[in-house]
Amino acid sequence: MRIGDDAGAIDLGSNGTVCGAGIVVAPSSTGEVVAVVRICRQNEIPIVPQGGRTGLVDGSVSRPGEIVLSLERMNRIERLDPLERVAVVCAGVTLEALQVAALEHGLEPGIDLAARGSATIGGMVSTNAGGVMAFRNGVMRHRVLGLEAVLADGSVYSDLTRVVKNSAGYDLKHLFIGAEGTLGIVTRVVVKLDPSPRATATALFGLPSVEAALQTIRLALESDAGHLRAAEAMWTSYFSLAAAAHGWSEPGVPLNQPLFLLLSLGGAREEALREDFERIYSEVMERYPEATGIIAGSRRQEDDLLRLREDTGVLYRAHPHAPSFDVSVPLSEIPAYLDRILPGLAAIEPGLAPYVFGHLADGNLHIILNRQGPLAPDVAEAAEGVLYQQLREIGGSFSAEHGVGSKRIHSLLATADPTKLAAMERVKRALDDQSIMNPDKVLPSDAWFVRSSRPLLSDNERRLPPQNASDHKR
Amino acid sequence: MRIGDDAGAIDLGSNGTVCGAGIVVAPSSTGEVVAVVRICRQNEIPIVPQGGRTGLVDGSVSRPGEIVLSLERMNRIERLDPLERVAVVCAGVTLEALQVAALEHGLEPGIDLAARGSATIGGMVSTNAGGVMAFRNGVMRHRVLGLEAVLADGSVYSDLTRVVKNSAGYDLKHLFIGAEGTLGIVTRVVVKLDPSPRATATALFGLPSVEAALQTIRLALESDAGHLRAAEAMWTSYFSLAAAAHGWSEPGVPLNQPLFLLLSLGGAREEALREDFERIYSEVMERYPEATGIIAGSRRQEDDLLRLREDTGVLYRAHPHAPSFDVSVPLSEIPAYLDRILPGLAAIEPGLAPYVFGHLADGNLHIILNRQGPLAPDVAEAAEGVLYQQLREIGGSFSAEHGVGSKRIHSLLATADPTKLAAMERVKRALDDQSIMNPDKVLPSDAWFVRSSRPLLSDNERRLPPQNASDHKR
């Protein structure tokens, strides 16, 4: 094991990650991770695992007295079987590296997100990453067939299953998926691959309402020529900012539509996909005569459209450190949700308004406030109150794909089902009794003490506590 | 709550389920389930939950002193939203009832299995059911967006999320999925729905090898005209038995091929799907000139082909109580696996041979031995030794979709990763400290006592213990 030597040198604190730890270890094998964990357990040293450090909720920040365990040297694709359509990768492999390797066999991992170049498979498993294809293929959890993880006692949970059906006892890999390193360190992952389409086509629709967008998505889901790969929505304020920043304009797509919907189809023949978009467009026009649209005629045009949605940096250049939120809203509830949050935010502070965009087909909305961050604590608290109110009760989530980390713990405690919180704590204690695995992430390490001395309020009584974490740049 | 009254009368012991319990309760709401659990907890009475009692591993058998909790009266579809493509159902709704309701909106639950008429959604969640579409849509776990479960302490885990993205803390619903009622009683489920294809087409291929079948599946996965919905394999001995039993014969498909592959495509136009099967067939013929095939020309022909695979009752009529196994094998390992088990079984007893059929695209093989059951204990032990040997180590599973129940506990203990067993026990203790939830299913209730006094053998030393449960009729 190398501790802080040249080969394992780490770029501390990039992406805004706060690295308070004095030591960064970068093991190159599962055995080395075990050795680190054993030393830490013996000495009660908390461990903060790190992948590509692209997380947005401070899940890999560290403090003095902790050590950072970076998986970046464990970056080998160990197996890629085109007939099985399965890859076995070490945790530090980036999504892009896996995408490139799979594409050589006409395959793809079935999950995609903008941080593909630095996000690692281990990190994506630990945060249960989402992205643009989740409405179709599920989130990271649904792409994982097996995994290996090092537990708090130094034992290795080894489940390198390469099949989708395995009912041999509790499927505990799902505990490690999305636990943000608090229950174990994911070291190896078996990822399901799908055939990559031979052709794609992309279209942008300007639409009058969420309902119109959902109807358009349903038409695209039933395409004869291919399958829907992305359904990204951008509401006016975001879209016009992005279009202006990129100098994008199209006569056929005026910028004053309430909602813009970017659809991508994958299939065998590009021409057939474009024809299908024409059919979809004419059906949409029949129902919503005010609809507008454009079908990308070239790869370049397609890339230009995708960039409007993917390059959210334009927002943060306009509003440095702008407060960002990441909610899931059941599709039928989105109109009412937006109708509630717009006046709700404006009532907090004159002019306070959201940029809204996201993965409409699965109800995942990204909401960025038009303010330079961080917000004053009382404004932040009020904004969360507006954005998170009743989200769980209506079947949504205050954290869709970004996780909890340390930044959203107070929101989790304020909004979660008390039975779920209690069960989470029992599971955490069962697997990490010393609380050395990424402590104070997802759950506060004193959660059960807090709970026993200060019982949770009932659903009606609970209110959001003050926010003390500050938003940071994406 | 009604205990054993007329309205809740239960047909005890159907499907061969052993019902030793003196009391069967059939609550009609989550509140009534809570009341039952609280009474049982106070009095330390073990609870055995039951759905449609279609399980194959004695997961719902009960003993004197236990009570059976049947979910069959909780059979309401509470919500079916065509725009969200989501259904919220109570646990006792049958798969078929959900399929019928979804189809009215052009949707389907994306999972299908032969017991659809009696298998309940709650039972399918608790056993993490698989079936024919799992290679494409995943298993039951991947179709569940949210669930409600009553825990051992009478609290209600309420996660009725209707979106696929939810990273608000540990996603503990996955603990209850596949736990066979040992961690909680699933009372309500949110199921993801997909558009149902407007047309289907089905073809049967006679093929020389597993490799040829996997290549054929890959061609079908890349169909231009639709998407693959089923890829079911039947090896010669099963197929000829089924064909004879149903009086099925086709001049174009001689019965002496090593392997038969049934493929179904779904899409917009039946004609396009059939044309695609013709293209696939000609590509297959080019590589494997000995291949044969037939494309169903009518709904009747399609049903006849599907029945050959689905009606496995022909086997049990030929061999009453025949011993059955349900393994997952990574696709690239299937030829070697079959090459090993055929001589392995014959070496146990002259003439001992398997009928093999199953869901080839996901590696799930059903193996039925050509013997009237139950086997003598030494033969059963030797057969398991042959069939389960190294399955986990090569990335497969000794139990693909049937679960563990009480029948396969000894196999789980003999073959599982010791770290996984230890973690399972810790989780069970964390959520059900009195062990009142379906005790002696999945894990023996004295597991941690056994483990502490008699440590598990190392991977190399472990052998299968004698089997004491007898096989029973499907």
Side-chain angles (χ1 to χ4, degrees), chain B residues 94-350:
Chain B
T94 64
L95 173 59
E96 194 167 66
L98 177 57
Q99 286 172 328
V100 168
L103 200 57
E104 282 176 28
H105 302 278
L107 297 168
E108 61 181 13
I111 189 163
D112 195 23
L113 37 78
R116 61 185 74 83
S118 41
T120 62
I121 298 299
M124 290 174 66
V125 169
S126 294
T127 56
N128 191 26
V132 296
M133 289 199 270
F135 73 93
R136 174 181 164 78
N137 295 333
V139 290
M140 194 67 196
R141 181 184 303 285
H142 302 109
R143 309 302 303 170
V144 174
L145 297 175
L147 60 73
E148 175 192 82
V150 178
L151 308 193
D153 63 1
S155 64
V156 178
Y157 183 90
S158 177
D159 171 18
L160 295 176
T161 307
R162 301 206 307 277
V163 291
V164 71
K165 288 179 179 167
N166 180 4
S167 62
Y170 304 159
D171 196 350
L172 298 185
K173 72 170 176 281
H174 289 284
L175 277 182
F176 307 112
I177 302 173
E180 306 185 31
T182 61
L183 298 177
I185 299 165
V186 174
T187 46
R188 214 180 236 116
V189 185
V190 186
V191 183
K192 183 185 175 194
L193 305 174
D194 286 333
S196 177
R198 292 193 285 283
T200 59
T202 296
L204 178 74
F205 295 82
L207 295 164
S209 64
V210 171
E211 198 254 341
L214 294 178
Q215 294 291 358
T216 307
I217 288 172
R218 176 78 194 249
L219 289 170
L221 281 172
E222 294 175 355
S223 163
D224 298 7
H227 59 265
L228 186 62
R229 290 171 61 77
E232 297 293 302
M234 294 164 275
W235 275 259
T236 308
S237 60
Y238 172 77
F239 189 76
S240 43
L241 185 80
H246 290 287
W248 184 92
S249 74
E250 281 290 337
V253 186
L255 298 181
N256 59 353
Q257 295 275 24
L259 183 59
F260 296 83
L261 179 67
L262 191 66
L263 296 181
S264 282
L265 287 172
R269 294 184 308 114
E270 199 170 318
E271 199 186 298
L273 299 175
R274 287 206 196 122
E275 277 169 20
D276 216 39
F277 267 137
E278 277 166 30
R279 179 191 60 80
I280 291 168
Y281 183 53
S282 63
E283 286 194 42
V284 170
M285 284 291 287
E286 216 164 279
R287 283 181 88 144
Y288 307 98
E290 61 274 60
T292 53
I294 178 181
I295 300 167
S298 66
R299 172 68 59 181
R300 164 105 191 252
Q301 273 194 314
E302 192 173 46
D303 288 345
D304 286 346
L305 290 178
L306 295 173
R307 193 176 308 115
L308 291 173
R309 163 63 187 86
E310 260 199 1
D311 180 16
T312 54
V314 299
L315 275 179
Y316 296 98
R317 287 192 286 278
H319 307 281
H321 307 284
S324 76
F325 304 88
D326 160 56
V327 301
S328 270
V329 186
L331 301 186
S332 64
E333 303 279 353
I334 291 177
Y337 178 77
L338 294 175
D339 285 349
R340 197 171 69 221
I341 68 164
L342 295 176
L345 289 172
I348 295 173
E349 214 176 77

